[in-house]
Amino acid sequence: MDENPAVHQEMVTTPEEQPRPNPVGCNKYRRLLLVVISIALFAAVLGLGVYSHLQKTADPWTSKWKSAAPPCLSPACLRASEHFSVSMDPFSRPCDYFLFACGTEGSSTNKGRHRVKGLSNEDSGELDKKREVRTGGLVRMRKERDVQENSDGRLVKFPDRKTALLKTIKEILEAPEEGVSTSAAEQKAKKYFKTCMDAESPKKEGSKPFLTLLRQLGGWAVSNGWNQTDFNTTLGLLMGQYSTFPFFSVYVGSDPGEEEMGSSQHYIQIDEPHFQFPIDWNSKTQKSKASTQYLRPFYMSCGQYLDLLGVPSSETTQHCGLYMSLSTTLALATAPLRYRLSQNLLYYRITIQDLQTLAPAIDWLACLQATFQPLPISQSDLVLVHNLPYITHMSETISKWQVQHEVMGTGPLHTYMIFSLLHTLIPALDSRFYQTLRNFSIATGDTQEEIPRWLRCVQQTERGFDTLLSHAIRERHAQKEAEELIDDVYSSLKKKLTELNWRDNRSSGFILNKTKSLNPRLSTKTNNLSHTELNHLYAEVVLSEEDFFSNYLQMLLLEQKSRSRLLSHGTQTDGLSITPSISGNDIIIPVGMFVSPFFHSSYPRALNYGTLGSLIAKDLLHLLLPEIYTQANNPESESMCIWSHYLSVTKGPGRVSTPSLSPSKQQEVWVQYSALQVALDAYKMSFMRYPADSSLSGLSYIHLFLSSFTKVTCDADSYHEFMPFEPSFLVTVLCSNSGFCPKPLTCVNKSQSYPREMCQSRMLH
């Protein structure tokens, strides 16, 4: 009947039946009890001490990452704080935060914020590679959209990565010289930039510098002063001393097929030239032709150039007509990159001797020797050709025109080369030449705003002094902190990959072994040069205090030496790039990425890892993405999970079907979310090593990290356009999966709420 007989028995025992106490036994038991109590108290005190010590030392992340951090008051931090406001705070308006569109400063009244971008079908243009083309100093760049903070409280936007790098270079070139601490090489770079910025000097000289150079080259038929110079001699001179390639372009690069095998050998590469006018491609006939609507503006610009050079108008019709005719004839054999790729026309291997047989009008050995002097170029050297049909067509055209016009003395081939040289030198001439080029660009549909002079001068200085500038950026901006960030991000990335669910052991072994064998490092060997070595590298450069034209010619010679170094040593100054690349067994992280506002050694690490850490993680994932996405199950399932939750939150859970995402958008959702996880885990690694950090605006560590990620993804992420929703929603997903967020993302007075758990990943826990 009784559930506990022992208890019941104790309760019913009478006093008479209880045994009498033994005094000796009681004392013994009392002493034993005191010992036990003492041991227990000591253990409790020791346990509390150990627990307290572990809380303080073993896991500082858990105890501090939600804490308010001391403010960073360095000048760089004060500038960085202008990029953040309450509108970027994922916890001030949690129900609206993930819905705001980038660029609206988080306005909850933003129209169309529920718009879902790109539900199905691949955009045909996504796979096309964009090529940056230099046209006489004109570089097509995205318009700067920095919004400076003003009286109405608008937020300062992050610039794109290229603009941030160029602004950093400008600051270096404009910085006052600090006596003996400024190297001779840096002084030369600053002198070049200063003379470039002086717009009055070229204006005073007019066309005189170019005409003087033209006489040194033997004149031209346009002014009836041509010395009938040899075609190939002139071509080799233009290629070697003036970085001018009229009939084909020449550069140095590796073979992607060999790179996959771990080789980093570089080859001379020969490609189509850049034509001054747009070219139409007929996909049915698979032929090119010059856009007829732009031929008249092209002809008119030719006449304007001749007028600026003092050529009588009576000579314009004949010579501009021949120039246009030769240009359009050469353009017939060009082909867009996607067609050449489909026809296996890229990276065609051929010896210089065999190329001479197929395209005999060019003295290939002499011209390439001039381009890469003093290197020993031989007939047996391999070159990579990217459109052999064009090269043979070009050779045949030159041969025909030489025969047809030799007797007439009109020299259209020589005139064509001189016009090419003119376009190379336009940045160093009177601004009227540049304006003529600009007017023609507008006539061909170029709607880009004119590039400011400082930007053109920075780009020109970079072309000649890239090694020096890369060294200067590393010295000023990217030292120990940069290398630690790279190591942390890559370690976290490898951890992420080990957690993926691979489709078979062979695939997982190959990819995981590849990531282990790759060595991420900051920029290239040239960044380890001392000031003495840099001074020696630029020792032969002699610059004028006032004559920018002669300085520009010196810059072209520096560019030629850089090409020769790249071919001979197989290394180049990748420091002024803005995206990582794989070279052999190395992942090159360009030092040009480590510039403000994305990175600074005095920034809170939460800011560095949230901005640049996440960008590097995305770049690395994109480098490895083709292999990861096809061999692992997680990317597709995780991206679709996040997408379905987004639709559930924005459109309601009662949807009949889930709109599909194109494969490219599925990939990007996974890359973006994985990059957020990787960067956060990397920051945690850093915090565990150094359990102290600063912050901005009184934000906690994690608070600043998440705000930094969203801000940089909105403003400066080149992949943002491929996302089907705003990046802020990824913070919502992250916060629903963990206790990382300082406040729960719940909605007050709203009918909808976030799912408690979304698309979990072991990395979050």
Side-chain angles (χ1 to χ4, degrees), residues 49-69:
V50 172
Y51 177 76
S52 176
H53 176 73
L54 290 175
Q55 285 292 98
K56 292 179 180 178
T57 61
D59 191 3
W61 173 258
T62 302
S63 61
K64 290 186 177 181
W65 53 266
K66 287 186 180 181
S67 306

Side-chain angles (χ1 to χ4, degrees), residues 407-454:
V407 178
M408 298 172 59
T410 51
L413 293 170
H414 186 78
T415 299
Y416 184 90
M417 290 191 285
I418 297 301
F419 266 117
S420 296
L421 176 64
L422 176 65
H423 279 89
T424 299
L425 300 179
I426 277 178
L429 294 174
D430 183 350
S431 60
R432 291 175 297 173
F433 287 91
Y434 179 82
Q435 194 56 50
T436 300
L437 177 65
R438 175 67 184 156
N439 292 340
F440 176 68
S441 297
I442 294 173
T444 58
D446 182 7
T447 58
Q448 296 289 325
E449 289 188 0
E450 182 175 349
I451 299 175
R453 188 172 186 85
W454 74 263

Side-chain angles (χ1 to χ4, degrees), residues 627-686:
E627 294 164 341
I628 296 174
Y629 203 83
T630 56
Q631 301 299 330
N633 295 318
N634 308 62
E636 183 178 357
S637 60
E638 286 184 11
S639 62
M640 290 310 296
C641 177
I642 295 171
W643 175 239
S644 62
H645 276 300
Y646 178 78
L647 294 177
S648 176
V649 171
T650 56
K651 301 296 184 181
R655 295 181 61 91
V656 177
S657 62
T658 301
S660 62
L661 279 180
S662 65
S664 63
K665 288 183 170 57
Q666 285 184 28
Q667 293 176 14
E668 196 55 40
V669 168
W670 181 78
V671 167
Q672 294 277 346
Y673 187 51
S674 297
L676 172 58
Q677 295 173 313
V678 167
L680 179 56
D681 187 63
Y683 176 51
K684 181 179 177 181
M685 291 181 190
S686 174

Side-chain angles (χ1 to χ4, degrees), residues 490 513-520 582 584-587 624:
Y490 197 66
N513 289 334
K514 179 178 180 179
T515 55
K516 289 179 182 178
S517 65
L518 291 172
N519 174 42
I582 296 178
N585 291 325
D586 291 327
I587 299 179
L624 303 170

